[in-house]
Amino acid sequence: MDGIQPLKTIDPFAQRIHIAYFSMEIALRPEMHTYSGGLGVLAGDTARSCADLEIPVVFVTLVSRSGYLKQEIDANGRQVDHPDPWEPGGWTEPLGAMITVPIEGREVWVRPWLMPLTCPLGHCIPILLLDTDLEQNSPEDRKITDALYGGDAEYRLKQEIVLGIGGVRLLQALGFSIHTYHMNEGHAALLGLQLLRQRRHHPEDVRPGEPVFDPAQVREMCVFTTHTPVSAASDLFAYDVVEKVLGDYIDIGELKTIGGTEALNMTRLALNLSGYVNGVAERHAETAHRMYPGYQVRAITNGVHVQTWTHRAFARLYQSAFPHWAHEPEVLSLGDQLKDEAVWSAHQEAKRDLLYLVKKVSGVEMNADVPLFGFARRMTGYKRPDLLFTDMERLVAIARKQPFQLVFAGKAHPRDEQGKNLIAELNGYARQLANSIPMVFLPNYDIRMAAVLVAGADVWLNTPLPPMEASGTSGMKAAFNGVLNLSVLDGWWVEACVEGVTGWAIGDDDAFGTGAGHADLLYEKLDQMVLPLYYKDRGRWIWMMKEGISKIGAYFNSQRMMRRYATEAYLR
Ligand SMILES: *Cc1c(COP(=O)(O)O)cnc(C)c1O
């Protein structure tokens, strides 16, 4: 760290920016494979809104050179995993600064790439992507920032050291003086340990040039957003792994008092080191509070970035009716004033784009006049992508009277066998239904495909098992495009659903039920409400589209979300 001069390119940022947002993943653009799903998309939308609103935040993440996962579907309908590499040089510039982090007793070098993210109005915020692929490091250490969510627990912990400890050291080396550190999920919690290590009463732990903080000061500086609705899903490390990888960086006995006695629980660590903690929807904050009694968990409900997720046909419509909609999406509350014909024709344009994609990728020709249901998100057990197929006879009987078509997409984590089996199952249903319900599974879901899907469907389906869906954001993206949500009441939908107005609920609000009756209720709603409305009362359907745009669009956007983070979490 000694003697490193802040670089010309980062200098103006370092002078001005005092808030840092740390995230293991971030979705910035389709060519940058630095994200896996919803968490990364949220981080990306957060960055875009910070740029729009000129909220001075520096973002810190890993470069993830091999990406997350390129998904191929084989002849048996099963997911085949491939690496998904990308070339940082195309989108970012290397910075000359380097720092080290302690890993297994070695000093591992870390260098950042800088991606300046500029919003349409010209304001720019910096994204730093940390990289260990440097000639100073051993071949093994060069791979630490390679595979997002890859490898075993040791590999993951090394990545979290680079992100949390490396990120703090790097910002200091670059000349930033950060007063607020925001941890997006527990992966970033080690940043708090680094701040703690610099505390006042262990001056011998402090390297030259590192500022010192005490525990109360650390909590003052840290904000934690949790996304985990069940403790089993927390990031956990056995203490023998922690001891092996972190060495004498921190006293393990002391770590246990703040990170959990059984195993290092990154959620608990982040909770103990943060003075402001929030969940990502009202329901999720309640669930998180129940999981971790004794901590105050506030709620800042997620939102999505409107310009990123609105189809150009709707963007044109909004631009002419509400010129400031992108900066201040609250004006979409007047969306119920839009003309029916304009809304319907914008939707048909978005639907044609989706039908074109379906044809190109799968060869299946779908029909623009038949309602299309979309379901796309991470493929994993609790999301229940198979719920719709619980009773195949009943499903086919419904479609015989009132035809519909289905588009699915989503990746399963390479080690999620249940998720992979679900994908094979869905592809099996698509074959089985070939003569009754047109259905495709589009491979390799990413943000580019998501934009086409959430705009081009007629209905966006979501069937998670409550309370597992912390928020969910794809349904918000759909609403900006006049797509109606049909969803189990969980996460954001508990707040957004006005039955028969903004969309439909599947079942009652029952956070701790078994979800057992949901398939029946889904069929009922499909057969009695959704399909009849589409076929018999187009005027009422378009009215609902506009209610969704106005009621959901005005609130579930990332401008509103970031104004809340800025005023409540950053300005404390
Ligand atoms: C929005 C988005 C998600 C999140 O979808 P949920 O329904 O909230 O789980 C995941 N992956 C991609 C590529 C997305 O764009």
Side-chain angles (χ1 to χ4, degrees), residues 27 35-39 41-42 45 304 309 376-378 382-383 445-451 454 460 462 469 471-475 477 492:
Y35 68 96
S36 96
L39 184 72
V41 172
L42 179 77
D45 283 358
V304 298
W309 297 109
R377 47 184 57 84
R378 185 157 52 96
Y382 82 82
K383 301 258 195 188
Y445 188 51
D446 69 353
I447 50 175
R448 185 179 281 148
M449 187 189 289
V454 296
W460 196 249
N462 194 14
E469 184 90 317
S471 165
T473 52
S474 61
K477 302 169 192 168
W492 79 289

PDB file of all heavy atoms in Angstrom, residues 27 35-39 41-42 45 304 309 376-378 382-383 445-451 454 460 462 469 471-475 477 492, ligand 1:
ATOM      1  N   ALA A  27     -24.982  -6.956 -12.529  1.00  0.00           N
ATOM      2  CA  ALA A  27     -25.353  -7.074 -13.948  1.00  0.00           C
ATOM      3  C   ALA A  27     -25.278  -5.694 -14.581  1.00  0.00           C
ATOM      4  O   ALA A  27     -26.170  -4.868 -14.384  1.00  0.00           O
ATOM      5  CB  ALA A  27     -26.765  -7.652 -14.079  1.00  0.00           C
ATOM      6  N   TYR A  35     -22.546 -11.611 -13.263  1.00  0.00           N
ATOM      7  CA  TYR A  35     -23.757 -11.779 -12.457  1.00  0.00           C
ATOM      8  C   TYR A  35     -24.326 -13.166 -12.705  1.00  0.00           C
ATOM      9  O   TYR A  35     -24.028 -13.807 -13.716  1.00  0.00           O
ATOM     10  CB  TYR A  35     -24.802 -10.710 -12.825  1.00  0.00           C
ATOM     11  CG  TYR A  35     -25.361 -10.888 -14.227  1.00  0.00           C
ATOM     12  CD1 TYR A  35     -26.552 -11.573 -14.439  1.00  0.00           C
ATOM     13  CD2 TYR A  35     -24.671 -10.414 -15.332  1.00  0.00           C
ATOM     14  CE1 TYR A  35     -27.057 -11.764 -15.713  1.00  0.00           C
ATOM     15  CE2 TYR A  35     -25.164 -10.608 -16.623  1.00  0.00           C
ATOM     16  CZ  TYR A  35     -26.354 -11.288 -16.801  1.00  0.00           C
ATOM     17  OH  TYR A  35     -26.838 -11.497 -18.073  1.00  0.00           O
ATOM     18  N   SER A  36     -25.173 -13.619 -11.763  1.00  0.00           N
ATOM     19  CA  SER A  36     -25.864 -14.885 -11.979  1.00  0.00           C
ATOM     20  C   SER A  36     -27.368 -14.690 -12.064  1.00  0.00           C
ATOM     21  O   SER A  36     -28.035 -15.351 -12.843  1.00  0.00           O
ATOM     22  CB  SER A  36     -25.500 -15.879 -10.875  1.00  0.00           C
ATOM     23  OG  SER A  36     -26.460 -15.881  -9.855  1.00  0.00           O
ATOM     24  N   GLY A  37     -27.923 -13.780 -11.285  1.00  0.00           N
ATOM     25  CA  GLY A  37     -29.382 -13.650 -11.300  1.00  0.00           C
ATOM     26  C   GLY A  37     -29.862 -12.408 -10.579  1.00  0.00           C
ATOM     27  O   GLY A  37     -29.213 -11.354 -10.639  1.00  0.00           O
ATOM     28  N   GLY A  38     -30.968 -12.562  -9.860  1.00  0.00           N
ATOM     29  CA  GLY A  38     -31.668 -11.433  -9.267  1.00  0.00           C
ATOM     30  C   GLY A  38     -30.794 -10.511  -8.411  1.00  0.00           C
ATOM     31  O   GLY A  38     -30.933  -9.284  -8.483  1.00  0.00           O
ATOM     32  N   LEU A  39     -29.897 -11.087  -7.608  1.00  0.00           N
ATOM     33  CA  LEU A  39     -29.051 -10.265  -6.730  1.00  0.00           C
ATOM     34  C   LEU A  39     -28.165  -9.330  -7.552  1.00  0.00           C
ATOM     35  O   LEU A  39     -28.006  -8.153  -7.222  1.00  0.00           O
ATOM     36  CB  LEU A  39     -28.186 -11.174  -5.847  1.00  0.00           C
ATOM     37  CG  LEU A  39     -27.326 -10.462  -4.810  1.00  0.00           C
ATOM     38  CD1 LEU A  39     -28.179  -9.903  -3.688  1.00  0.00           C
ATOM     39  CD2 LEU A  39     -26.262 -11.402  -4.248  1.00  0.00           C
ATOM     40  N   VAL A  41     -28.710  -8.393 -10.717  1.00  0.00           N
ATOM     41  CA  VAL A  41     -29.549  -7.448 -11.457  1.00  0.00           C
ATOM     42  C   VAL A  41     -29.934  -6.289 -10.544  1.00  0.00           C
ATOM     43  O   VAL A  41     -29.898  -5.123 -10.940  1.00  0.00           O
ATOM     44  CB  VAL A  41     -30.796  -8.153 -12.026  1.00  0.00           C
ATOM     45  CG1 VAL A  41     -31.759  -7.153 -12.633  1.00  0.00           C
ATOM     46  CG2 VAL A  41     -30.388  -9.189 -13.069  1.00  0.00           C
ATOM     47  N   LEU A  42     -30.232  -6.609  -9.289  1.00  0.00           N
ATOM     48  CA  LEU A  42     -30.550  -5.550  -8.323  1.00  0.00           C
ATOM     49  C   LEU A  42     -29.357  -4.612  -8.152  1.00  0.00           C
ATOM     50  O   LEU A  42     -29.510  -3.382  -8.141  1.00  0.00           O
ATOM     51  CB  LEU A  42     -30.933  -6.160  -6.975  1.00  0.00           C
ATOM     52  CG  LEU A  42     -31.247  -5.101  -5.920  1.00  0.00           C
ATOM     53  CD1 LEU A  42     -32.631  -4.522  -6.141  1.00  0.00           C
ATOM     54  CD2 LEU A  42     -31.095  -5.648  -4.520  1.00  0.00           C
ATOM     55  N   ASP A  45     -29.126  -2.419 -11.216  1.00  0.00           N
ATOM     56  CA  ASP A  45     -30.172  -1.385 -11.230  1.00  0.00           C
ATOM     57  C   ASP A  45     -29.873  -0.313 -10.174  1.00  0.00           C
ATOM     58  O   ASP A  45     -30.140   0.878 -10.389  1.00  0.00           O
ATOM     59  CB  ASP A  45     -31.559  -2.010 -11.002  1.00  0.00           C
ATOM     60  CG  ASP A  45     -32.101  -2.692 -12.259  1.00  0.00           C
ATOM     61  OD1 ASP A  45     -31.425  -2.637 -13.306  1.00  0.00           O
ATOM     62  OD2 ASP A  45     -33.193  -3.287 -12.199  1.00  0.00           O
ATOM     63  N   VAL A 304     -36.990  -1.773  -9.767  1.00  0.00           N
ATOM     64  CA  VAL A 304     -36.162  -2.044 -10.954  1.00  0.00           C
ATOM     65  C   VAL A 304     -35.954  -0.747 -11.738  1.00  0.00           C
ATOM     66  O   VAL A 304     -36.720   0.207 -11.608  1.00  0.00           O
ATOM     67  CB  VAL A 304     -36.783  -3.133 -11.857  1.00  0.00           C
ATOM     68  CG1 VAL A 304     -36.876  -4.451 -11.102  1.00  0.00           C
ATOM     69  CG2 VAL A 304     -38.144  -2.717 -12.393  1.00  0.00           C
ATOM     70  N   TRP A 309     -35.588  -1.710 -18.243  1.00  0.00           N
ATOM     71  CA  TRP A 309     -36.538  -2.818 -18.350  1.00  0.00           C
ATOM     72  C   TRP A 309     -37.816  -2.493 -19.104  1.00  0.00           C
ATOM     73  O   TRP A 309     -38.721  -3.314 -19.174  1.00  0.00           O
ATOM     74  CB  TRP A 309     -36.849  -3.356 -16.943  1.00  0.00           C
ATOM     75  CG  TRP A 309     -35.614  -3.913 -16.307  1.00  0.00           C
ATOM     76  CD1 TRP A 309     -34.903  -3.382 -15.275  1.00  0.00           C
ATOM     77  CD2 TRP A 309     -34.909  -5.105 -16.710  1.00  0.00           C
ATOM     78  NE1 TRP A 309     -33.804  -4.160 -15.003  1.00  0.00           N
ATOM     79  CE2 TRP A 309     -33.776  -5.221 -15.857  1.00  0.00           C
ATOM     80  CE3 TRP A 309     -35.120  -6.074 -17.694  1.00  0.00           C
ATOM     81  CZ2 TRP A 309     -32.872  -6.264 -15.973  1.00  0.00           C
ATOM     82  CZ3 TRP A 309     -34.207  -7.122 -17.811  1.00  0.00           C
ATOM     83  CH2 TRP A 309     -33.104  -7.211 -16.956  1.00  0.00           C
ATOM     84  N   ALA A 376     -39.623 -17.082 -15.981  1.00  0.00           N
ATOM     85  CA  ALA A 376     -38.169 -17.136 -16.138  1.00  0.00           C
ATOM     86  C   ALA A 376     -37.499 -16.576 -14.909  1.00  0.00           C
ATOM     87  O   ALA A 376     -37.797 -15.458 -14.475  1.00  0.00           O
ATOM     88  CB  ALA A 376     -37.734 -16.350 -17.372  1.00  0.00           C
ATOM     89  N   ARG A 377     -36.620 -17.357 -14.338  1.00  0.00           N
ATOM     90  CA  ARG A 377     -35.875 -16.976 -13.137  1.00  0.00           C
ATOM     91  C   ARG A 377     -34.961 -18.141 -12.816  1.00  0.00           C
ATOM     92  O   ARG A 377     -34.970 -19.157 -13.517  1.00  0.00           O
ATOM     93  CB  ARG A 377     -36.824 -16.691 -11.962  1.00  0.00           C
ATOM     94  CG  ARG A 377     -37.894 -17.754 -11.781  1.00  0.00           C
ATOM     95  CD  ARG A 377     -38.878 -17.396 -10.680  1.00  0.00           C
ATOM     96  NE  ARG A 377     -39.534 -16.109 -10.897  1.00  0.00           N
ATOM     97  CZ  ARG A 377     -40.607 -15.896 -11.649  1.00  0.00           C
ATOM     98  NH1 ARG A 377     -41.181 -16.921 -12.277  1.00  0.00           N
ATOM     99  NH2 ARG A 377     -41.125 -14.693 -11.788  1.00  0.00           N
ATOM    100  N   ARG A 378     -34.137 -17.997 -11.781  1.00  0.00           N
ATOM    101  CA  ARG A 378     -33.280 -19.106 -11.371  1.00  0.00           C
ATOM    102  C   ARG A 378     -34.134 -20.375 -11.198  1.00  0.00           C
ATOM    103  O   ARG A 378     -35.214 -20.331 -10.610  1.00  0.00           O
ATOM    104  CB  ARG A 378     -32.591 -18.750 -10.046  1.00  0.00           C
ATOM    105  CG  ARG A 378     -31.592 -19.743  -9.555  1.00  0.00           C
ATOM    106  CD  ARG A 378     -30.618 -19.073  -8.612  1.00  0.00           C
ATOM    107  NE  ARG A 378     -31.321 -18.347  -7.543  1.00  0.00           N
ATOM    108  CZ  ARG A 378     -31.572 -18.843  -6.332  1.00  0.00           C
ATOM    109  NH1 ARG A 378     -31.151 -20.053  -6.011  1.00  0.00           N
ATOM    110  NH2 ARG A 378     -32.211 -18.128  -5.428  1.00  0.00           N
ATOM    111  N   TYR A 382     -37.513 -24.094  -4.565  1.00  0.00           N
ATOM    112  CA  TYR A 382     -38.558 -23.293  -3.926  1.00  0.00           C
ATOM    113  C   TYR A 382     -39.327 -22.421  -4.920  1.00  0.00           C
ATOM    114  O   TYR A 382     -40.436 -21.981  -4.633  1.00  0.00           O
ATOM    115  CB  TYR A 382     -37.974 -22.445  -2.787  1.00  0.00           C
ATOM    116  CG  TYR A 382     -37.319 -21.149  -3.196  1.00  0.00           C
ATOM    117  CD1 TYR A 382     -38.083 -20.010  -3.439  1.00  0.00           C
ATOM    118  CD2 TYR A 382     -35.936 -21.047  -3.333  1.00  0.00           C
ATOM    119  CE1 TYR A 382     -37.486 -18.813  -3.811  1.00  0.00           C
ATOM    120  CE2 TYR A 382     -35.329 -19.870  -3.702  1.00  0.00           C
ATOM    121  CZ  TYR A 382     -36.113 -18.749  -3.944  1.00  0.00           C
ATOM    122  OH  TYR A 382     -35.519 -17.577  -4.316  1.00  0.00           O
ATOM    123  N   LYS A 383     -38.771 -22.199  -6.115  1.00  0.00           N
ATOM    124  CA  LYS A 383     -39.481 -21.374  -7.101  1.00  0.00           C
ATOM    125  C   LYS A 383     -40.608 -22.174  -7.786  1.00  0.00           C
ATOM    126  O   LYS A 383     -41.444 -21.613  -8.485  1.00  0.00           O
ATOM    127  CB  LYS A 383     -38.508 -20.859  -8.155  1.00  0.00           C
ATOM    128  CG  LYS A 383     -37.350 -20.014  -7.580  1.00  0.00           C
ATOM    129  CD  LYS A 383     -37.577 -18.531  -7.791  1.00  0.00           C
ATOM    130  CE  LYS A 383     -36.300 -17.721  -7.556  1.00  0.00           C
ATOM    131  NZ  LYS A 383     -36.563 -16.276  -7.584  1.00  0.00           N
ATOM    132  N   TYR A 445     -30.692 -18.254 -20.124  1.00  0.00           N
ATOM    133  CA  TYR A 445     -31.357 -17.031 -19.655  1.00  0.00           C
ATOM    134  C   TYR A 445     -30.327 -16.003 -19.199  1.00  0.00           C
ATOM    135  O   TYR A 445     -29.426 -16.313 -18.421  1.00  0.00           O
ATOM    136  CB  TYR A 445     -32.266 -17.398 -18.480  1.00  0.00           C
ATOM    137  CG  TYR A 445     -33.171 -16.290 -17.985  1.00  0.00           C
ATOM    138  CD1 TYR A 445     -33.964 -15.583 -18.859  1.00  0.00           C
ATOM    139  CD2 TYR A 445     -33.248 -15.987 -16.625  1.00  0.00           C
ATOM    140  CE1 TYR A 445     -34.811 -14.581 -18.392  1.00  0.00           C
ATOM    141  CE2 TYR A 445     -34.098 -15.010 -16.152  1.00  0.00           C
ATOM    142  CZ  TYR A 445     -34.869 -14.299 -17.043  1.00  0.00           C
ATOM    143  OH  TYR A 445     -35.716 -13.323 -16.578  1.00  0.00           O
ATOM    144  N   ASP A 446     -30.448 -14.781 -19.692  1.00  0.00           N
ATOM    145  CA  ASP A 446     -29.580 -13.693 -19.224  1.00  0.00           C
ATOM    146  C   ASP A 446     -30.368 -12.388 -19.275  1.00  0.00           C
ATOM    147  O   ASP A 446     -31.570 -12.397 -19.593  1.00  0.00           O
ATOM    148  CB  ASP A 446     -28.289 -13.613 -20.063  1.00  0.00           C
ATOM    149  CG  ASP A 446     -28.555 -13.152 -21.490  1.00  0.00           C
ATOM    150  OD1 ASP A 446     -29.735 -13.022 -21.891  1.00  0.00           O
ATOM    151  OD2 ASP A 446     -27.576 -12.921 -22.224  1.00  0.00           O
ATOM    152  N   ILE A 447     -29.709 -11.248 -18.974  1.00  0.00           N
ATOM    153  CA  ILE A 447     -30.488 -10.003 -18.887  1.00  0.00           C
ATOM    154  C   ILE A 447     -31.044  -9.569 -20.247  1.00  0.00           C
ATOM    155  O   ILE A 447     -32.083  -8.929 -20.310  1.00  0.00           O
ATOM    156  CB  ILE A 447     -29.703  -8.843 -18.219  1.00  0.00           C
ATOM    157  CG1 ILE A 447     -28.320  -8.660 -18.820  1.00  0.00           C
ATOM    158  CG2 ILE A 447     -29.624  -9.048 -16.720  1.00  0.00           C
ATOM    159  CD1 ILE A 447     -27.564  -7.442 -18.251  1.00  0.00           C
ATOM    160  N   ARG A 448     -30.352  -9.945 -21.318  1.00  0.00           N
ATOM    161  CA  ARG A 448     -30.871  -9.560 -22.634  1.00  0.00           C
ATOM    162  C   ARG A 448     -32.160 -10.325 -22.923  1.00  0.00           C
ATOM    163  O   ARG A 448     -33.159  -9.752 -23.352  1.00  0.00           O
ATOM    164  CB  ARG A 448     -29.820  -9.860 -23.705  1.00  0.00           C
ATOM    165  CG  ARG A 448     -30.232  -9.382 -25.085  1.00  0.00           C
ATOM    166  CD  ARG A 448     -29.152  -9.670 -26.095  1.00  0.00           C
ATOM    167  NE  ARG A 448     -28.069  -8.709 -26.035  1.00  0.00           N
ATOM    168  CZ  ARG A 448     -26.790  -9.000 -26.306  1.00  0.00           C
ATOM    169  NH1 ARG A 448     -26.434 -10.209 -26.613  1.00  0.00           N
ATOM    170  NH2 ARG A 448     -25.868  -8.061 -26.238  1.00  0.00           N
ATOM    171  N   MET A 449     -32.131 -11.631 -22.661  1.00  0.00           N
ATOM    172  CA  MET A 449     -33.334 -12.433 -22.877  1.00  0.00           C
ATOM    173  C   MET A 449     -34.454 -12.006 -21.921  1.00  0.00           C
ATOM    174  O   MET A 449     -35.634 -11.945 -22.303  1.00  0.00           O
ATOM    175  CB  MET A 449     -33.026 -13.918 -22.688  1.00  0.00           C
ATOM    176  CG  MET A 449     -34.189 -14.819 -23.060  1.00  0.00           C
ATOM    177  SD  MET A 449     -33.906 -16.529 -22.583  1.00  0.00           S
ATOM    178  CE  MET A 449     -32.634 -16.989 -23.745  1.00  0.00           C
ATOM    179  N   ALA A 450     -34.056 -11.680 -20.686  1.00  0.00           N
ATOM    180  CA  ALA A 450     -35.051 -11.260 -19.692  1.00  0.00           C
ATOM    181  C   ALA A 450     -35.833 -10.045 -20.194  1.00  0.00           C
ATOM    182  O   ALA A 450     -37.057  -9.981 -20.061  1.00  0.00           O
ATOM    183  CB  ALA A 450     -34.379 -10.936 -18.356  1.00  0.00           C
ATOM    184  N   ALA A 451     -35.135  -9.098 -20.797  1.00  0.00           N
ATOM    185  CA  ALA A 451     -35.805  -7.874 -21.263  1.00  0.00           C
ATOM    186  C   ALA A 451     -36.861  -8.206 -22.314  1.00  0.00           C
ATOM    187  O   ALA A 451     -37.941  -7.609 -22.330  1.00  0.00           O
ATOM    188  CB  ALA A 451     -34.777  -6.896 -21.823  1.00  0.00           C
ATOM    189  N   VAL A 454     -39.871 -10.382 -20.297  1.00  0.00           N
ATOM    190  CA  VAL A 454     -40.750  -9.653 -19.366  1.00  0.00           C
ATOM    191  C   VAL A 454     -41.612  -8.624 -20.092  1.00  0.00           C
ATOM    192  O   VAL A 454     -42.602  -8.145 -19.541  1.00  0.00           O
ATOM    193  CB  VAL A 454     -39.990  -8.930 -18.217  1.00  0.00           C
ATOM    194  CG1 VAL A 454     -39.278  -9.933 -17.326  1.00  0.00           C
ATOM    195  CG2 VAL A 454     -39.016  -7.892 -18.755  1.00  0.00           C
ATOM    196  N   TRP A 460     -47.214 -12.765 -16.495  1.00  0.00           N
ATOM    197  CA  TRP A 460     -45.965 -13.193 -15.864  1.00  0.00           C
ATOM    198  C   TRP A 460     -46.318 -14.042 -14.653  1.00  0.00           C
ATOM    199  O   TRP A 460     -46.994 -13.581 -13.737  1.00  0.00           O
ATOM    200  CB  TRP A 460     -45.127 -11.980 -15.458  1.00  0.00           C
ATOM    201  CG  TRP A 460     -43.696 -12.330 -15.169  1.00  0.00           C
ATOM    202  CD1 TRP A 460     -43.083 -12.310 -13.962  1.00  0.00           C
ATOM    203  CD2 TRP A 460     -42.728 -12.756 -16.135  1.00  0.00           C
ATOM    204  NE1 TRP A 460     -41.775 -12.699 -14.114  1.00  0.00           N
ATOM    205  CE2 TRP A 460     -41.524 -12.988 -15.424  1.00  0.00           C
ATOM    206  CE3 TRP A 460     -42.757 -12.982 -17.513  1.00  0.00           C
ATOM    207  CZ2 TRP A 460     -40.356 -13.427 -16.053  1.00  0.00           C
ATOM    208  CZ3 TRP A 460     -41.588 -13.416 -18.137  1.00  0.00           C
ATOM    209  CH2 TRP A 460     -40.417 -13.634 -17.413  1.00  0.00           C
ATOM    210  N   ASN A 462     -45.559 -16.486 -11.375  1.00  0.00           N
ATOM    211  CA  ASN A 462     -44.576 -16.742 -10.325  1.00  0.00           C
ATOM    212  C   ASN A 462     -45.213 -17.578  -9.227  1.00  0.00           C
ATOM    213  O   ASN A 462     -46.258 -17.208  -8.700  1.00  0.00           O
ATOM    214  CB  ASN A 462     -44.043 -15.425  -9.751  1.00  0.00           C
ATOM    215  CG  ASN A 462     -42.784 -15.637  -8.919  1.00  0.00           C
ATOM    216  OD1 ASN A 462     -42.158 -16.699  -8.965  1.00  0.00           O
ATOM    217  ND2 ASN A 462     -42.408 -14.628  -8.145  1.00  0.00           N
ATOM    218  N   GLU A 469     -39.398 -16.385  -1.241  1.00  0.00           N
ATOM    219  CA  GLU A 469     -39.073 -15.352  -2.214  1.00  0.00           C
ATOM    220  C   GLU A 469     -38.884 -14.032  -1.463  1.00  0.00           C
ATOM    221  O   GLU A 469     -39.863 -13.403  -1.068  1.00  0.00           O
ATOM    222  CB  GLU A 469     -40.224 -15.235  -3.217  1.00  0.00           C
ATOM    223  CG  GLU A 469     -39.960 -14.261  -4.345  1.00  0.00           C
ATOM    224  CD  GLU A 469     -39.304 -14.900  -5.556  1.00  0.00           C
ATOM    225  OE1 GLU A 469     -38.370 -15.719  -5.376  1.00  0.00           O
ATOM    226  OE2 GLU A 469     -39.732 -14.603  -6.674  1.00  0.00           O
ATOM    227  N   SER A 471     -37.865 -11.001  -2.332  1.00  0.00           N
ATOM    228  CA  SER A 471     -38.629  -9.952  -3.002  1.00  0.00           C
ATOM    229  C   SER A 471     -39.151 -10.469  -4.338  1.00  0.00           C
ATOM    230  O   SER A 471     -40.341 -10.607  -4.539  1.00  0.00           O
ATOM    231  CB  SER A 471     -37.757  -8.709  -3.231  1.00  0.00           C
ATOM    232  OG  SER A 471     -38.375  -7.849  -4.158  1.00  0.00           O
ATOM    233  N   GLY A 472     -38.206 -10.794  -5.237  1.00  0.00           N
ATOM    234  CA  GLY A 472     -38.586 -11.040  -6.631  1.00  0.00           C
ATOM    235  C   GLY A 472     -38.601  -9.697  -7.323  1.00  0.00           C
ATOM    236  O   GLY A 472     -39.058  -8.694  -6.748  1.00  0.00           O
ATOM    237  N   THR A 473     -38.054  -9.633  -8.527  1.00  0.00           N
ATOM    238  CA  THR A 473     -38.072  -8.362  -9.257  1.00  0.00           C
ATOM    239  C   THR A 473     -38.573  -8.512 -10.687  1.00  0.00           C
ATOM    240  O   THR A 473     -38.952  -7.513 -11.301  1.00  0.00           O
ATOM    241  CB  THR A 473     -36.666  -7.714  -9.328  1.00  0.00           C
ATOM    242  OG1 THR A 473     -35.739  -8.681  -9.820  1.00  0.00           O
ATOM    243  CG2 THR A 473     -36.218  -7.215  -7.966  1.00  0.00           C
ATOM    244  N   SER A 474     -38.588  -9.741 -11.223  1.00  0.00           N
ATOM    245  CA  SER A 474     -38.954  -9.862 -12.634  1.00  0.00           C
ATOM    246  C   SER A 474     -40.400  -9.436 -12.874  1.00  0.00           C
ATOM    247  O   SER A 474     -40.727  -8.887 -13.926  1.00  0.00           O
ATOM    248  CB  SER A 474     -38.690 -11.280 -13.153  1.00  0.00           C
ATOM    249  OG  SER A 474     -39.460 -12.214 -12.451  1.00  0.00           O
ATOM    250  N   GLY A 475     -41.271  -9.653 -11.879  1.00  0.00           N
ATOM    251  CA  GLY A 475     -42.666  -9.226 -12.024  1.00  0.00           C
ATOM    252  C   GLY A 475     -42.809  -7.708 -12.104  1.00  0.00           C
ATOM    253  O   GLY A 475     -43.727  -7.187 -12.740  1.00  0.00           O
ATOM    254  N   LYS A 477     -40.501  -5.778 -13.522  1.00  0.00           N
ATOM    255  CA  LYS A 477     -40.094  -5.478 -14.902  1.00  0.00           C
ATOM    256  C   LYS A 477     -41.284  -5.695 -15.834  1.00  0.00           C
ATOM    257  O   LYS A 477     -41.537  -4.895 -16.744  1.00  0.00           O
ATOM    258  CB  LYS A 477     -38.947  -6.402 -15.335  1.00  0.00           C
ATOM    259  CG  LYS A 477     -37.701  -6.347 -14.474  1.00  0.00           C
ATOM    260  CD  LYS A 477     -36.750  -7.507 -14.851  1.00  0.00           C
ATOM    261  CE  LYS A 477     -35.635  -7.687 -13.855  1.00  0.00           C
ATOM    262  NZ  LYS A 477     -34.895  -8.961 -14.045  1.00  0.00           N
ATOM    263  N   TRP A 492     -42.376  -9.126  -2.880  1.00  0.00           N
ATOM    264  CA  TRP A 492     -42.964  -7.834  -3.296  1.00  0.00           C
ATOM    265  C   TRP A 492     -44.449  -7.927  -3.605  1.00  0.00           C
ATOM    266  O   TRP A 492     -45.179  -6.946  -3.453  1.00  0.00           O
ATOM    267  CB  TRP A 492     -42.226  -7.317  -4.537  1.00  0.00           C
ATOM    268  CG  TRP A 492     -42.677  -7.991  -5.807  1.00  0.00           C
ATOM    269  CD1 TRP A 492     -42.433  -9.272  -6.174  1.00  0.00           C
ATOM    270  CD2 TRP A 492     -43.476  -7.405  -6.847  1.00  0.00           C
ATOM    271  NE1 TRP A 492     -43.020  -9.540  -7.387  1.00  0.00           N
ATOM    272  CE2 TRP A 492     -43.667  -8.403  -7.827  1.00  0.00           C
ATOM    273  CE3 TRP A 492     -44.037  -6.146  -7.053  1.00  0.00           C
ATOM    274  CZ2 TRP A 492     -44.404  -8.177  -8.997  1.00  0.00           C
ATOM    275  CZ3 TRP A 492     -44.767  -5.927  -8.218  1.00  0.00           C
ATOM    276  CH2 TRP A 492     -44.949  -6.930  -9.170  1.00  0.00           C
TER     277      TRP A 492
HETATM  278  C1  LIG B   1     -34.741  -9.919 -13.086  1.00  0.00           C
HETATM  279  C2  LIG B   1     -33.880 -11.097 -13.293  1.00  0.00           C
HETATM  280  C3  LIG B   1     -33.833 -12.132 -12.337  1.00  0.00           C
HETATM  281  C4  LIG B   1     -34.676 -12.093 -11.072  1.00  0.00           C
HETATM  282  O1  LIG B   1     -35.916 -12.705 -11.315  1.00  0.00           O
HETATM  283  P1  LIG B   1     -36.877 -13.092 -10.095  1.00  0.00           P
HETATM  284  O2  LIG B   1     -38.163 -13.417 -10.687  1.00  0.00           O
HETATM  285  O3  LIG B   1     -36.920 -11.917  -9.218  1.00  0.00           O
HETATM  286  O4  LIG B   1     -36.257 -14.260  -9.424  1.00  0.00           O
HETATM  287  C5  LIG B   1     -33.013 -13.218 -12.560  1.00  0.00           C
HETATM  288  N1  LIG B   1     -32.261 -13.309 -13.674  1.00  0.00           N
HETATM  289  C6  LIG B   1     -32.278 -12.348 -14.620  1.00  0.00           C
HETATM  290  C7  LIG B   1     -31.417 -12.514 -15.827  1.00  0.00           C
HETATM  291  C8  LIG B   1     -33.085 -11.213 -14.472  1.00  0.00           C
HETATM  292  O5  LIG B   1     -33.094 -10.266 -15.407  1.00  0.00           O
END
